[in-house]
Amino acid sequence: MASKIENPFSMRFVLPEQRELYLQLKEDEKLVSMPVIEQDELESFHYSIRDSAREDYAITVTWWRQVKGNLGSTCSMWGAVKWIDQQGRRIKIVNDTDVQWVNMDRIVDVRV
């Protein structure tokens, strides 16, 4: 059983504003800065993306999404690359249930 210090919501009187602020603080602690990607990793990502678009097979793409200032979170999606927008530097990933445009400069991992 958690003590009252570990679980602040077990106390009797907590204002909704206090609870919201506490939960927002906990969400902010999960944010990370954008990882630095080496050039050889970046070239490998681009090769996998082009190959998925050409051969029409699914890959898992992980990208960084900015939330507050220089901090953000990582998102991931699997699917086939259906379109590569060279001018906009983004790719279109499609799977059975979702379609997502991902900025190529924010991609941090690609898995086959």
Side-chain angles (χ1 to χ4, degrees), residues 80-93:
V81 176
K82 293 297 182 181
W83 187 262
I84 300 175
D85 182 7
Q86 294 291 339
Q87 291 181 336
R89 301 228 1 107
R90 60 187 186 154
I91 60 173
K92 182 179 184 180
I93 304 172

Side-chain angles (χ1 to χ4, degrees), residues 61-79:
V61 178
T62 304
W63 67 94
W64 182 80
R65 183 175 49 103
Q66 181 179 0
V67 176
K68 283 187 176 180
N70 293 339
L71 298 176
S73 61
T74 56
C75 303
S76 186
M77 180 178 169
W78 70 273

Side-chain angles (χ1 to χ4, degrees), residues 4 8 11 30-31 33-34 43-46 48 56 58 63 65-68 71 73-74 81-82 87 90-91 100 105:
K4 289 185 179 184
M11 293 182 273
K30 296 177 186 176
L31 300 178
S33 60
M34 184 170 176
E43 291 171 0
S44 173
F45 296 165
H46 289 175
S48 297
D56 196 36
W63 67 94
R65 183 175 49 103
Q66 181 179 0
V67 176
K68 283 187 176 180
L71 298 176
S73 61
T74 56
V81 176
K82 293 297 182 181
Q87 291 181 336
R90 60 187 186 154
I91 60 173
Q100 182 74 39
D105 298 327

